[in-house]
Structures are given as C-alpha cells and as structure tokens.
Amino acid sequence: MWFLFTLVAIFSWGAADLFYKKGSNPKDPYSHLRIVIMVGSVMGIHAIYTLLFTDISYDPMNIIRYLPVSSMYILSMTIGYIGLRYLELSISSPIMNSSGAIASLLTFIFLGQVMTGIQFFAVALISVGIIFLSILEKKAADLDRLKHKKKIDRKYQIGALAIILPILYAVIDGLGTFADAFILDKVMSENQANTSYELTFLICAILAAFYLIVIKKQSFNLFEERTKGYAALFETFGQFFYVYAIAGNAIIVTPLISSYSIVSIILSRIFLKEKLTKAQYMVIAVIMVGIFILGFE
C-alpha cells in the first residue's frame, strides 16, 4: 500500500505546486505569508476534525516531540513559497525536490535501512534525472528569451538569491524527511505525527495572520485567496497520504516522492502554456522508469 499512498501524494503535491505558483504574486512581498495562512488554516481544520470525529488517541505533547520535523517542513515550504515569486515553477520544483536524494542518503547512513542494487539504480535515475531536468529547463528558458529578444522579467531572473532559495528548501526538507522517518519508526504513529504537523502549521498560520494584519496593516480577504486555498487543499490531502507512505518504506519513498516535480512541470505546461523540449521529455521518461522500478521491485 505504501506505493499507492506515494502516488496519491505525488499527484496531490504536483497539483498544489501549480496553485502555489498561480497564487504567488511577485509584486506582493507578503504573498508567501498569505499562502502559509491558507495552508495552515486548511491543515488545522483537518487536524481538529481528526481529533473530534475519529478514534485517534492523541497526546498534546506530541506537538513538542514532532516539532523538529514540523519546523523543518514548514520553514522549507515557506522558503519555497518565496522562491516561486522569482523562479518559474518548472525550474524551482525539480531543484527543491532533490531533497529526496538527501533524505534517502541520510536514512541509508544513519537508520540502517537498505536498498537492493536495482532500487539503488532507480534512486540514481530519479535523482540524476531531476538534476538534469532543472539544467535543461534553465537552458531552454534562456534560449527562448534570446530567440524572441524578450526582456527578462524580474521574477524569472536567475540570480544568487533565486537559486539559493530552492537549494535551501532541498537541504532543510531533506533533513526534515530524514527526521520524519526516525520519529515514525521510533516515537509515534502516522496519525499522531500528521495531526501534530497540522496543528503546528495552524499555529504558524495564526502567527502569520497576526503579523500580516495587525503589525503590517495588510488586508486579507479569505474569499480573494481561492487559488491559495486550492493549493492548501491539495497540500493537506497529499500530506495525509505521505505520512503513511514514508512509514511503510522510508528509504524508497523519499526519492520517489521527489518525482512529483514531474507532475508540477506537466501541469505548468498545460495550464501556464509553457512547452517541453524533446530532451526534457526524455529525462521525464527516465525518471518515470525509476518510479516504476521502485514501485514493482
């Protein structure tokens, strides 16, 4: 079942990425906080529903126990939201999702989990494919702008800050995923971990709303944030299945989950009217081979 749960998370988070990008306004310096508010609110509603209407046995101290994981996930996601103001989704998503390779390596070294030779080969395909995908996307974007003599929009400029943001996301998220695998194995169940994460995100959403509305005197209309709301729904849905997937097979799920950038890229081409080159299609095919190997090995 861990493979099915992983696929659900992949497609959910791929869709969430699309709405994150559509909801990111390069002219609004607080757009990342607005996304945090929406995601935290939806996750909080789900957590409260879980506590009130399911038979979960929950210890509030789990929020503290799971805080190292929650904080790294939420921090990395917020950094990712900022990065989407400056980078195209099809560039930032593959870079950010190289975190799976980092997490897989950490679980291999420190948790003693093992991979067969074919599984290691599949992980290598996915990891190398994601790296090549980001390189090809950068080259394609540059060639297209030169061909059409377009002025590069500020939000698409590949400066030091823009590149650092998805790299930071990858490192922090990789550490969070590694810690997640350990805690789910040794400390608490999947339901308890997911509820703790969602409650922590709710607290962050409340703090972000207070900062945005009270301190910065910015307006916030819930009904004007529908795009961010869709992103939050897909994010929460994916997160629910993710914790069960990683508990089932952490060393394989961590790089496999990273491939949701493929879904992000395909959706960005369909709905944001961008195009893929033949080389990009070939790299995506290689990554898909790695996914199928992991799924059926």
Side-chain angles (χ1 to χ4, degrees):
M1 291 299 292
W2 65 266
F3 183 62
L4 178 61
F5 295 153
T6 302
L7 290 180
V8 173
I10 286 172
F11 285 102
S12 297
W13 283 348
D17 263 4
L18 174 67
F19 288 108
Y20 283 143
K21 178 59 182 177
K22 293 184 69 174
S24 296
N25 183 359
K27 297 180 180 179
D28 180 9
Y30 305 108
S31 66
H32 62 290
L33 293 181
R34 299 180 190 277
I35 297 176
V36 169
I37 293 170
M38 294 304 295
V39 174
S41 298
V42 173
M43 285 194 174
I45 291 171
H46 180 258
I48 293 171
Y49 173 85
T50 300
L51 292 173
L52 294 180
F53 299 104
T54 67
D55 58 356
I56 182 175
S57 177
Y58 187 75
D59 180 1
M61 283 301 296
N62 282 336
I63 294 179
I64 305 300
R65 298 187 184 102
Y66 200 66
L67 189 59
V69 177
S70 298
S71 59
M72 283 187 280
Y73 280 159
I74 296 171
L75 176 60
S76 65
M77 290 174 68
T78 304
I79 290 173
Y81 301 152
I82 298 172
L84 285 173
R85 297 211 305 266
Y86 306 103
L87 290 173
E88 292 171 325
L89 174 60
S90 48
I91 295 175
S92 62
S93 185
I95 297 174
M96 291 190 297
N97 284 285
S98 62
S99 61
I102 297 172
S104 184
L105 181 61
L106 290 172
T107 57
F108 178 77
I109 295 173
F110 295 105
L111 297 187
Q113 297 193 28
V114 297
M115 288 187 289
T116 65
I118 190 67
Q119 288 172 332
F120 183 82
F121 174 70
V123 169
L125 283 180
I126 293 172
S127 302
V128 173
I130 289 172
I131 293 171
F132 270 100
L133 200 57
S134 62
I135 294 172
L136 289 171
E137 179 61 29
K138 172 63 168 58
K139 289 182 178 179
D142 288 346
L143 288 173
D144 183 66
R145 291 178 188 119
L146 286 173
K147 180 180 178 181
H148 296 92
K149 297 181 180 179
K150 295 179 182 178
K151 181 181 179 181
I152 300 177
D153 194 293
R154 178 176 177 270
K155 68 179 180 179
Y156 293 143
Q157 288 179 349
I158 312 299
L161 176 61
I163 290 296
I164 287 172
L165 291 173
I167 292 175
L168 281 175
Y169 174 101
V171 173
I172 298 171
D173 187 71
L175 289 171
T177 305
F178 164 68
D180 206 7
F182 175 79
I183 288 180
L184 288 174
D185 185 50
K186 306 291 185 181
V187 180
M188 66 183 70
S189 69
E190 296 89 339
N191 267 331
Q192 292 171 331
N194 192 53
T195 302
S196 300
Y197 173 63
E198 291 180 334
L199 290 174
T200 304
F201 220 132
L202 174 61
I203 294 171
C204 290
I206 294 171
L207 293 175
F210 179 83
Y211 178 79
L212 182 68
I213 299 170
V214 177
I215 297 179
K216 290 299 181 178
K217 310 297 182 183
Q218 299 292 310
S219 62
F220 183 84
N221 188 330
L222 186 65
F223 297 101
E224 294 178 354
E225 306 292 349
R226 286 192 295 272
T227 300
K228 299 178 180 66
Y230 297 144
L233 288 170
F234 278 112
E235 181 70 42
T236 303
F237 192 70
Q239 177 64 29
F240 177 79
F241 285 93
Y242 163 75
V243 292
Y244 289 98
I246 197 170
N249 198 339
I251 196 169
I252 303 302
V253 167
T254 47
L256 186 57
I257 283 288
S258 300
S259 64
Y260 80 79
S261 60
I262 301 173
V263 178
S264 302
I265 292 172
I266 293 173
L267 291 178
S268 71
R269 295 307 191 274
I270 295 173
F271 294 101
L272 302 181
K273 307 304 180 182
E274 297 177 352
K275 297 180 180 180
L276 284 171
T277 65
K278 291 182 178 179
Q280 288 168 325
Y281 278 119
M282 290 178 62
V283 174
I284 287 176
V286 169
I287 296 175
M288 291 301 296
V289 170
I291 291 174
F292 285 119
I293 290 174
L294 292 179
F296 294 103
E297 171 63 15

